[in-house]
Amino acid sequence: MTNDPRGSGTQSLRRLLIGAPLPTSAHAEERLTNAEALAILSSDALSSVAYATQEIVLVLAMAGAAALHYTLPITGLIVALMLVVAISYRQTIKAYPHGGGSYRVSHDNLGVIPGLCAAASLSIDYTLTVAVSTAAGIAALTSYFPLLDGLREPLCLAAVSLLMLANLRGVRSTARLLSLPTFLFMGTVFTLVVAGLIQWSQGSLTALPLAEQSRLLNSEHGASLAALGPVLLMRAFSSGCAALTGIEAISDSVMAFKPVEWRNARRVLTVMVILLALMFSGISALATELRLVAQDTGPTLLYQLGERIFGNGPLLLLLQLTTLLILLLAANTAFADFPRLAAFLAQDGFMPRQLASLGDRLVFTNGIVLLSSFAAVLLLVFDGSVTRLIALYAVGVFASFTLSQAGMVMHWWRGRSAAEGWRGKALVNGLGCLVTGLVCGVLLFSKFTEGAWLVVLGVPLLVSLFLAIKTHYGRMARRLDLGPLAPLSLPPAPAQGGTPVVVLVGALNHGSADAVCYARSIAGPLVAVHVDLDGSGAEAFRQQWSQRLPQVRLVVLPSPYRSLVDPITSFVHRFEAEHSKDPTSFCTVVLPVYVTRRPWEKLLHNQSALNLRRALRNGGTRVVTTVGFYL
């Protein structure tokens, strides 16, 4: 929403950075083609090939060179898991064509608490997606330019800021800006894999000598080796499962596609999983055959492959640059999905309501800024280290996978009388639930002491916060409720004179009714003003007003750009010009405000009255008064 007075320096800077406001009518035009959706919504999953194999190798290397042969079997297990999850989500997309992902499916079919657990898990994982992808992208940059390694944290923060600005500009602007790097990365990686396999089959690509491999392993892990057993293999598997993060993004954002939305979303999901499986398998196969060793602070595994296959030439530079860009774009998947998830939660009363409002560029501005802030904090706390952040990664997303699939099983069971072939569909989702639940358990067991305990602690804390916010809004709704639909009594107007008064009415409740009563008690001419922000509620509000307060004139102002300030200030200036006959006469603007019990509850309200009062006074209105309602 626009909150600054027109012509201000802040407004001019805002327009320069994110562009001019878009009308609500342009929302349908801000849909993605399948190619754009593949770039925007699949970048998280596709980019994971840049570090998923490396994380497997890093863990297996603790047990020595012999353990590295397990890289390919573990990759095969993860690809099989990937296919199971993708098939399950194809069903979810068709069953929930309006999107919502794990939160909506779990909430509707399993209940409030499971739905909030899924939402909390996803919120944590989306934040980690931004942090991990940004850190991995900067690691790719510092692999090619080692002198920049000391600037890792500032570079990470700069990258998050740039992504935030790109997303604040809107969906289509972001798609046009970010599609090319995604397709360049895919083309470069496929070129790498195909060229590597050809060179290997011709014998021109040789493996790393065993002596050199042993030296690198000793420098990274020391002479003592860990035991190669189930625990180490589970740790390697859980680290490689980072390749599955981002698969749910498409089911969260079905409504971002052009019609027919669910059919296009399923097509993009299928293409994404095929591409991901091929790239991931190819990189793991080449890394195994070449006996490469990954180092936490050294060149990335993908860089080593590129150096050996492409040589130190332009293709290697292209690989590193496109890797940097795709990893930064992977964070963009979270920017596409977290604001939508936050909007769903806000609409249900579990997060601050301002998160449900579209900004100037038809994106959820507040959600984008919130995600950027949390990701920046994580990058600072964990020093921009991929390995330290990866320990927290994937637990949340697999927890949400499991809850979503369980919810789909219940969905098919409840609709079994009307759904043809419901048993087969329930079986697919049941298998997905079982497999992802087992993987979630493996992740928790293998990563608990490395940092997964923070996720285990964070989920119930977030759920408690969601419930506290819901309780506040519930108490507020009860306090504001006007009761049965009937005309409201107003105090008599002043016997003589009175001042011209404009009273702003957002919703018809006790708070706004008190403001109207005060306005009536001092008013000569009195007009109530309501701004129709979403373009769909004007007629319903007029009908409610005519039944509650037929004695007060109502003006409904359209706001095609979802601005509250601009329509109000324009109307007030016209009203003042009409009713202020001389410099000694005044018009009064009355604004209802909510007064919360606790300081933190102020964050749950958008403070629009304060912004309006500031704008009106900057515009020359001399009398602006507020009528408080204590919640």
Side-chain angles (χ1 to χ4, degrees):
M1 244 189 244
T2 305
N3 290 326
D4 296 320
R6 271 188 268 184
S8 68
T10 303
Q11 198 78 309
S12 300
L13 179 62
R14 186 185 180 95
R15 296 292 168 265
L16 177 65
L17 291 176
I18 68 173
L22 295 172
T24 305
S25 59
H27 202 187
E29 300 170 15
E30 290 288 295
R31 298 292 188 95
L32 298 172
T33 65
N34 287 359
E36 290 170 339
L38 184 65
I40 297 298
L41 300 177
S42 303
S43 54
D44 180 16
L46 295 175
S47 70
S48 63
V49 301
Y51 55 82
T53 301
Q54 174 173 307
E55 295 303 319
I56 296 172
V57 171
L58 274 171
V59 175
L60 291 176
M62 297 178 185
L68 296 179
H69 292 290
Y70 286 94
T71 301
L72 204 51
I74 290 173
T75 298
L77 281 175
I78 294 171
V79 168
L81 176 61
M82 197 182 294
L83 296 176
V84 170
V85 171
I87 293 169
S88 299
Y89 270 110
R90 278 177 56 86
Q91 294 194 160
T92 302
I93 288 169
K94 188 173 182 180
Y96 283 83
H98 297 294
S102 295
Y103 165 65
R104 184 60 68 204
V105 174
S106 304
H107 182 275
D108 290 353
N109 297 291
L110 301 178
V112 172
I113 298 300
L116 293 180
C117 288
S121 300
L122 278 177
S123 298
I124 292 171
D125 220 70
Y126 285 143
T127 308
L128 282 166
T129 293
V130 177
V132 170
S133 299
T134 304
I138 298 303
L141 180 66
T142 56
S143 291
Y144 199 83
F145 301 106
L147 291 176
L148 296 177
D149 193 56
L151 299 173
R152 181 174 296 191
E153 289 178 49
L155 288 171
C156 286
L157 296 179
V160 170
S161 300
L162 288 173
L163 280 168
M164 180 183 73
L165 286 176
N167 280 275
L168 288 174
R169 293 189 65 87
V171 173
R172 292 303 303 276
S173 295
T174 308
R176 286 190 291 267
L177 178 67
L178 304 181
S179 293
L180 181 60
T182 303
F183 293 117
L184 274 177
F185 173 77
M186 287 190 290
T188 308
V189 170
F190 274 114
T191 302
L192 175 78
V193 171
V194 172
L197 293 175
I198 291 173
Q199 290 178 28
W200 177 258
S201 65
Q202 294 175 345
S204 58
L205 190 63
T206 57
L208 192 70
L210 289 173
E212 178 64 13
Q213 186 185 47
S214 299
R215 186 190 67 78
L216 291 172
L217 288 171
N218 287 336
S219 67
E220 180 70 12
H221 302 289
S224 59
L225 299 177
L228 179 60
V231 173
L232 190 72
L233 291 173
M234 282 193 293
R235 282 184 59 191
F237 174 77
S238 62
S239 294
C241 281
L244 274 81
T245 56
I247 283 185
E248 201 214 34
I250 292 173
S251 71
D252 274 342
S253 303
V254 178
M255 293 306 295
F257 287 81
K258 290 184 179 293
V260 177
E261 292 87 353
W262 67 265
R263 184 172 290 121
N264 287 326
R266 287 177 60 159
R267 287 171 180 164
V268 172
L269 175 63
T270 302
V271 171
M272 178 194 76
V273 170
I274 292 171
L275 294 173
L276 175 58
L278 290 174
M279 289 192 293
F280 184 32
S281 302
I283 289 171
S284 292
L286 287 171
T288 302
E289 294 300 328
L290 297 180
R291 297 199 288 263
L292 297 183
V293 176
Q295 295 176 292
D296 186 23
T297 57
T300 63
L301 196 70
L302 193 60
Y303 175 82
Q304 294 180 54
L305 278 174
E307 191 176 37
R308 295 176 68 85
I309 295 169
F310 291 152
N312 195 13
L315 280 178
L316 178 62
L317 177 60
L318 179 63
L319 175 66
Q320 290 307 103
L321 288 177
T322 55
T323 301
L324 165 65
L325 292 173
I326 189 68
L327 285 165
L328 296 180
L329 298 192
N332 201 71
T333 299
F335 278 105
D337 281 342
F338 174 82
R340 294 179 190 276
L341 172 63
F344 283 129
L345 287 165
Q347 289 164 8
D348 293 342
F350 293 110
M351 287 190 81
R353 287 178 178 170
Q354 49 267 46
L355 290 170
S357 301
L358 287 171
D360 287 347
R361 301 287 293 181
L362 295 173
V363 293
F364 297 107
T365 302
N366 294 320
I368 291 170
V369 174
L370 185 66
L371 177 63
S372 304
S373 303
F374 286 147
V377 170
L378 276 179
L379 286 165
L380 289 173
V381 170
F382 290 92
D383 302 320
S385 169
V386 177
T387 302
R388 292 179 62 191
L389 285 164
I390 209 82
L392 285 69
Y393 206 28
V395 175
V397 77
F398 273 94
S400 65
F401 281 170
T402 304
L403 288 167
S404 174
Q405 298 311 307
M408 285 303 299
V409 173
M410 186 61 68
H411 170 81
W412 299 124
W413 172 257
R414 287 177 175 171
R416 61 189 182 280
S417 59
E420 185 178 349
W422 70 270
R423 287 186 177 85
K425 296 173 180 177
L427 182 63
V428 170
N429 288 121
L431 177 62
C433 176
L434 177 64
V435 172
T436 55
L438 288 173
V439 173
C440 186
V442 169
L443 287 168
L444 281 173
F445 176 78
S446 60
K447 291 188 173 186
F448 190 82
T449 57
E450 298 177 23
W453 64 271
L454 288 170
V455 179
V456 175
L457 181 64
V459 168
L461 287 177
L462 275 179
V463 170
S464 300
L465 177 62
F466 294 154
L467 292 173
I469 292 171
K470 181 72 170 179
T471 299
H472 168 78
Y473 283 135
R475 184 174 63 245
M476 172 182 165
R478 290 190 295 272
R479 290 274 291 129
L480 292 172
D481 185 31
L482 288 170
L485 192 63
L488 300 176
S489 60
L490 294 176
Q496 294 181 348
T499 182
V501 177
V502 175
V503 57
L504 177 64
V505 180
L508 195 48
N509 52 43
H510 267 304
S512 57
D514 285 355
V516 172
C517 287
Y518 170 75
R520 176 68 176 269
S521 70
I522 65 170
L526 171 62
V527 61
V529 176
H530 173 77
V531 179
D532 182 23
L533 293 173
D534 62 9
S536 61
E539 189 56 38
F541 189 84
R542 285 193 186 95
Q543 291 180 3
Q544 188 183 17
W545 186 269
S546 65
Q547 294 172 312
R548 292 282 193 184
L549 292 166
Q551 62 272 52
V552 178
R553 177 190 167 208
L554 173 69
V555 173
V556 177
L557 301 176
S559 182
Y561 292 92
R562 301 163 307 287
S563 167
L564 184 65
V565 169
D566 290 348
I568 290 291
T569 53
S570 297
F571 178 86
V572 169
H573 291 155
R574 294 194 303 271
F575 185 86
E576 288 176 325
E578 180 182 344
H579 291 89
S580 296
K581 299 179 177 58
D582 57 70
T584 62
S585 63
F586 298 92
C587 293
T588 299
V589 178
V590 177
L591 306 176
V593 297
Y594 299 136
V595 183
T596 58
R597 293 182 181 184
R598 305 172 184 87
W600 69 268
E601 292 176 340
K602 291 181 181 179
L603 299 173
L604 306 182
H605 304 277
N606 60 17
Q607 309 301 316
S608 57
L610 297 177
N611 295 323
L612 268 174
R613 183 168 60 182
R614 185 185 307 114
L616 288 167
R617 286 181 174 167
N618 289 342
T621 300
R622 291 187 286 176
V623 183
V624 181
T625 187
T626 57
V627 177
F629 184 85
Y630 289 82
L631 296 172

